[in-house]
Amino acid sequence: MPDRGGGPTGPRIRVGRPSRRVRTLLMTLGVLAALGMAFVMFAGFWTDWLWYRSVNYSSVFTTTLWTKIGLFFVFGLLMAAAVGFNIWLAHRLRPPLSAMSMEQQSLDRYRMGIAPYKKWLLLGITSLVGLIAGASAAGQWRTWLMWVNGVPFGQKDPQFGLDVSFYAFDLPWYRFLLGFGFAAAVLSVIAAALTHYLYGGLRVTSPGARATAAATGHLSVLLGVFVALKAVAYWLDRYGLAVKSSDFKATGNWTGLRYVDANAYLPAKTILFCIAVICALLFFATIWRRTWQLPVIGFGLMVLSAILIGGLYPAIVQKFQVQPNEQAKEAPYVEKNLEATRRAYGIDGTDVQEYAGTGTTSDKNKLREDAENTASIRLLDPNIVSPTFQQLQQMRNYYAFPANLDVDRYSGKDGAEQDTVIGLRELNLAGIPKNNWINDHFRYTHGFGVVAAKGTEATSGGRPVFTESDLPSKGDLGDYQQRIYYGEKTTQYSIVGGPQAEIDYSDDNGEKTTRYKGDSGVNLSNPINRAAYAAAFSEPQILYSGAIGEGSRILYNRTPKERVEAVAPWLTIDGDAYPAVIDGKIQWIVDAYTTTNGYPYASRTTLGDTTADSLTADNSQRAVVAQQNQVNYIRNSVKATVDAYTGEVKLYQWDTQDPVLKTWMKAFPDTVEPKTEISKALEAHLRYPQDLFKVQRELLTRYHVKDADTFLSGSEVWQVPDDPTNTSGSAVPPYYLSMKMPGQQEQAFSLTTTFTPNGRDNLSGFMAVNAEAGTKDYGKIRILKVPTSEAIDGPKQVQSQFNSQQDIAETISLLKRGDSEVEYGNLLTVPLDGGLLYVEPVYVRGGGLKYPLLRKVLVTYGGNTAFEDTLDAALNKVFETEGSTTPEPPTEDGGGGTDEPPTSGDPTVQQALQDAQKAFDEGQKALKDGDWEAYGRAQQDLEDALKRAEDAQSKADAAGGTGGSASNDKGDQTDKGDQTDKGDKNADDGSGSG
């Protein structure tokens, strides 16, 4: 064959082309990288499936997954088909080749360039828009499930007469479909216009017609579809007015129609709907008329109408009809807002009573007696005493208590229920002697035991009176599984049950070990599971570590809120999960809410803002876990439990009438157990949730009035006062307290708060809700409204009075000597005989002491204030009585604490008691001098003397056959806690008078 190259022959040099070996290596690396990415994606999917299966909620995973997949493919394919079809149609309708203008000549090279790849380009464009649309649609899985499973509310909106479910379940889905339609129409118009331009159907600079008849007809239909969708939007906007947000000075975030909406916007939307329908028909008619003149004129008129009718006309109505007589015009709509808001937030049954605010009884003895019977005053503040629990009951550095403890109810030895402060000794990884992978994830895996103390008592030294303490814990709670594998502080994974033994706890006989016996977690015996978790957790050691073997299980998602949110992603989780000992198990109790922001006429609230207070400011663990932050309907519809040992999650239906919960129960059948499955033992520890209470109290600052005129005037607007016990500037938290409101026959476990007038510090109201589940009045909200004509002291003013009284100020100054810190506990408010009794415990951290001790109690009533060592003494002083109906606080050894030593015939006992009195006097003198070292020695001498007296009296009683004892049954278990800090002999030093 002749040489056709036209040039000299010779060796050919290939420039820049890699060798076959390099190409093979690059291809291999590319394949491995792709496989690695695929396996990481698979690992995330597989580990999620294994976790949901391990907690027996695999149906939640599969329902959510298949819903997302279905929406992804359906809407992805619809979008791809819409755009792809219009590109294909525009190409099909391209004009035949003819003499080309300069514009077409310049486009010809692009046509020639893409000609060989037209099919691939079409496939790529449609795939891209399909993927984006499908991913967006998959995120609407909640909206789809609520629409397809929605149940009626049985309540109709006052404007259109439609069931509330239309706004809560249907309208969001219709709006999504409308938004999807708009997106498809716009993308189709853009894609078709570009294709027509590329192939000559549209001309910009060429002489003659700007568009072919085919292009005109095609684009007109697409624009007609867009305008038709706009007509549908106008029609839906009519109903959207019922859930439209707008700022209104009297209501805040108003939802629903106002006068201008009903009389201007509503008719305007109807007129615009009709104009849009006509305009759409004009666009469709262009298929036959082949001119855009009429539809363009129609579209211009629609835009002009939207400006004049939809914007200018309502503004004129607002300016010239509403503003001159706003109260009269808005009153009928405010009444609808009042009724809907109160019903949507469950505050429609609130009982508002007039309350004098000042006492009416002059009998001091009766008032003193009523003070005992009206409330069980909780002196132990769960938000202050965590360091005290930590110091006395931590036992080991790798245990810790949460920063804020919880208040619950437990029966004492006499069978009577008492308010109890409770906390779990959870695992604290920061306290592990040496951090490494084995210690962090295999050896130190769990906490151990409950610590509980009486809420209404403290020892004479200011320590808690523990009812459950030590390690292992023992006391009033009986036998229960004490190991805590799931808790609020347990935030990382552990691998348990395999070859590696776990640290259980330590005692005087050394370190105890254990192996997890529960069936929680995911089995790692399978190599595929190990590889998946190694990839998912970025921990390659999981794949090859010898510490993992037969029986090894990985535990993760271990906080109670995290587990409940995962198994019920449609719930909003309360910020405060709390533990309870129930039927031999430690159970975390989690309150959960169903919410919607589509309740017509109900004002909206922002959960993150409404539930914030002085406790959540620096504690993210107490923040609400919200599925949607803005809501205008909320129900505590689910009570959930998480077993602290097995991690088992159970959801119980609590509100049997809630249509939102019924909807989700249809979507996820068999995930929520009926209310009848709640045991009596569990019900005894259920309580009214704090976050719901905080949302309701915020709404009740405005919605406690039922009269539209008063509501509009703003004269009765209240506010939640700032916490007077600290300088955070955040709202005062609500407090749990066993008390009885006026009209109640006996005490009930309640959640309470106070109100002040807007912009003022005096009291305007007191609010309490029956928080005790199982009682007929559970959830009943009562508000005591004090007269606006009288200035009743509010919390901030009461706190200011405490601080400004000279004798109190001097004592506080004395307590602060020697680098001591004074901490104010919860300022409790109790209605008493028409007046208000305020009680506040005062704690002291003395010198180098690491934890606060209760040293004083502030009490005020009717202008009388007392600042005493005990609540009993403070009440006696306030009510000017001598006697007491309450026992003296237990001493540090558990006996009754009195300043004067009791008499005894035994000389050894007498000498010991005289020594105790001498030590007490020396301690008081040292306290006044601010000599904390001498005070600590005196306290130690006092403790030693009382111990000698107790031992001598016990011997004397035994010799006399009495079998008596100078101490209580249990004694003060806090002394046992001192064993954890043997180097600190003066655990009680520098903290004020005992």
Side-chain angles (χ1 to χ4, degrees), residues 407-616:
V407 179
D408 204 346
R409 296 142 295 152
Y410 287 89
S411 297
K413 289 188 175 181
D414 58 357
E417 282 197 343
Q418 61 187 11
D419 291 1
T420 303
V421 175
I422 185 172
L424 300 189
R425 195 182 285 113
E426 295 190 48
L427 180 66
N428 174 32
L429 288 175
I432 293 177
K434 183 178 181 181
N435 288 98
N436 55 54
W437 191 65
I438 293 296
N439 278 348
D440 291 354
H441 299 287
F442 291 82
R443 286 177 57 77
Y444 295 92
T445 59
H446 60 279
F448 206 99
V450 172
V451 176
K454 293 181 180 180
T456 56
E457 295 183 30
T459 69
S460 60
R463 299 178 183 179
V465 178
F466 290 108
T467 58
E468 185 81 10
S469 59
D470 295 343
L471 185 68
S473 295
K474 53 184 176 291
D476 294 351
L477 301 184
D479 295 330
Y480 57 94
Q481 173 56 262
Q482 298 198 19
R483 296 172 182 87
I484 303 160
Y485 283 86
Y486 295 87
E488 290 181 304
K489 300 178 73 67
T490 314
T491 55
Q492 72 173 20
Y493 72 88
S494 290
I495 298 176
V496 298
Q500 179 64 60
E502 308 162 44
I503 301 295
D504 203 20
Y505 65 91
S506 299
D507 58 17
D508 294 338
N509 297 321
E511 196 174 78
K512 309 292 184 183
T513 59
T514 188
R515 281 184 172 82
Y516 184 65
K517 301 297 193 298
D519 58 358
S520 181
V522 178
N523 197 321
L524 291 181
S525 301
N526 187 327
I528 296 178
N529 291 357
R530 292 178 66 170
Y533 277 101
F537 288 6
S538 300
E539 289 279 13
Q541 296 177 90
I542 294 177
L543 189 60
Y544 55 78
S545 174
I548 302 174
E550 189 65 31
S552 291
R553 310 182 73 85
I554 185 168
L555 313 180
Y556 61 104
N557 288 350
R558 297 170 71 183
T559 68
K561 290 195 293 184
E562 200 173 34
R563 293 180 79 77
V564 175
E565 184 192 17
V567 303
W570 35 272
L571 288 175
T572 293
I573 312 301
D574 189 88
D576 185 26
Y578 60 98
V581 177
I582 302 168
D583 294 331
K585 301 176 182 177
I586 300 174
Q587 297 278 353
W588 288 98
I589 300 176
V590 183
D591 285 286
Y593 310 107
T594 44
T595 62
T596 180
N597 64 354
Y599 197 101
Y601 276 96
S603 292
R604 288 194 172 94
T605 187
T606 303
L607 288 180
D609 296 336
T610 309
T611 57
D613 59 28
S614 61
L615 297 183
T616 63

Side-chain angles (χ1 to χ4, degrees), residues 160 166-167 171 174-175 178 182 229-244 257 261 265-270 272-273:
F160 302 102
F166 171 80
Y167 302 93
L171 191 58
Y174 297 153
R175 282 176 164 166
L178 188 63
F182 274 124
L229 290 172
K230 187 61 180 174
V232 176
Y234 282 133
W235 188 257
L236 286 181
D237 283 348
R238 297 168 69 255
Y239 302 109
L241 291 172
V243 289
K244 175 181 70 72
L257 284 80
D261 297 314
Y265 281 110
L266 185 58
K269 297 293 184 184
T270 305
L272 289 172
F273 163 76

Side-chain angles (χ1 to χ4, degrees), residues 615-645:
L615 297 183
T616 63
D618 300 316
N619 190 348
S620 59
Q621 283 190 343
R622 294 182 73 93
V624 63
V625 181
Q627 292 302 328
Q628 54 185 14
N629 206 19
Q630 270 216 338
V631 303
N632 67 353
Y633 171 94
I634 186 169
R635 289 290 185 273
N636 177 213
S637 53
V638 171
K639 301 283 189 181
T641 61
V642 178
D643 192 294
Y645 183 74

Side-chain angles (χ1 to χ4, degrees), residues 55-57 59-60 564 567-571 590 592-594 636-641 649-656 658 660-678:
V55 293
N56 299 317
Y57 282 90
S59 63
V60 174
V564 175
V567 303
W570 35 272
L571 288 175
V590 183
Y593 310 107
T594 44
N636 177 213
S637 53
V638 171
K639 301 283 189 181
T641 61
V649 182
K650 286 189 176 181
L651 307 176
Y652 296 98
Q653 183 183 19
W654 185 244
D655 189 332
T656 58
D658 178 32
V660 181
L661 178 60
K662 291 179 181 178
T663 296
W664 286 118
M665 290 175 68
K666 280 182 64 179
F668 295 97
D670 302 324
T671 56
V672 181
E673 299 187 29
K675 188 175 183 178
T676 53
E677 292 298 312
I678 297 177

Side-chain angles (χ1 to χ4, degrees), residues 378-398:
R378 182 171 45 74
L379 298 177
L380 211 62
D381 186 346
N383 309 306
I384 295 288
V385 298
S386 179
T388 308
F389 274 52
Q390 185 84 357
Q391 188 72 12
L392 300 180
Q393 289 294 322
Q394 179 187 21
M395 303 303 186
R396 296 293 180 267
N397 287 335
Y398 48 82

Side-chain angles (χ1 to χ4, degrees), residues 84-330:
F85 172 76
N86 282 285
I87 292 175
W88 172 83
L89 185 59
H91 180 266
R92 181 75 177 267
L93 296 176
R94 67 189 184 278
L97 294 175
S98 58
M100 290 189 291
S101 64
M102 293 299 295
E103 180 183 20
Q104 292 301 310
Q105 289 178 19
S106 63
L107 291 173
D108 189 53
R109 56 178 177 173
Y110 295 107
R111 289 193 289 263
M112 296 295 292
I114 66 173
Y117 311 106
K118 283 191 296 187
K119 292 183 179 180
W120 290 107
L121 186 61
L122 177 62
L123 183 62
I125 292 173
T126 55
S127 298
L128 178 62
V129 297
L131 287 171
I132 295 173
S136 176
Q140 297 294 322
W141 64 272
R142 289 185 179 89
T143 307
W144 161 260
L145 288 176
M146 292 184 78
W147 178 68
V148 78
N149 295 288
V151 301
F153 275 66
Q155 302 164 8
K156 298 184 182 298
D157 81 280
Q159 181 66 42
F160 302 102
L162 297 175
D163 191 89
V164 172
S165 61
F166 171 80
Y167 302 93
F169 305 142
D170 300 342
L171 191 58
W173 178 250
Y174 297 153
R175 282 176 164 166
F176 163 72
L177 292 178
L178 188 63
F180 178 83
F182 274 124
V186 169
L187 289 175
S188 296
V189 167
I190 294 172
L194 288 175
T195 306
H196 280 299
Y197 176 69
L198 183 64
Y199 287 97
L202 291 178
R203 304 178 182 92
V204 178
T205 61
S206 300
R210 298 297 183 190
T212 63
T216 300
H218 184 197
L219 293 177
S220 294
V221 170
L222 291 177
L223 290 172
V225 170
F226 178 86
V227 177
L229 290 172
K230 187 61 180 174
V232 176
Y234 282 133
W235 188 257
L236 286 181
D237 283 348
R238 297 168 69 255
Y239 302 109
L241 291 172
V243 289
K244 175 181 70 72
S245 288
S246 59
D247 289 329
F248 191 50
K249 63 183 180 181
T251 62
N253 195 338
W254 169 291
T255 302
L257 284 80
R258 293 158 57 185
Y259 179 89
V260 69
D261 297 314
N263 295 277
Y265 281 110
L266 185 58
K269 297 293 184 184
T270 305
I271 294 170
L272 289 172
F273 163 76
C274 296
I275 294 174
V277 170
I278 295 171
C279 188
L281 293 175
L282 291 175
F283 273 107
F284 292 140
T286 307
I287 298 175
W288 298 279
R289 292 181 56 84
R290 304 295 185 183
T291 176
W292 278 346
Q293 185 176 3
L294 285 179
V296 168
I297 293 173
F299 187 78
L301 288 174
M302 187 181 75
V303 173
L304 182 62
S305 299
I307 296 172
L308 296 177
I309 302 175
L312 185 59
Y313 173 62
I316 292 173
V317 171
Q318 179 69 24
K319 179 71 174 178
F320 295 102
Q321 291 191 34
V322 177
Q323 288 185 7
N325 193 16
E326 186 174 45
Q327 192 146 328
K329 295 290 186 183
E330 299 289 11

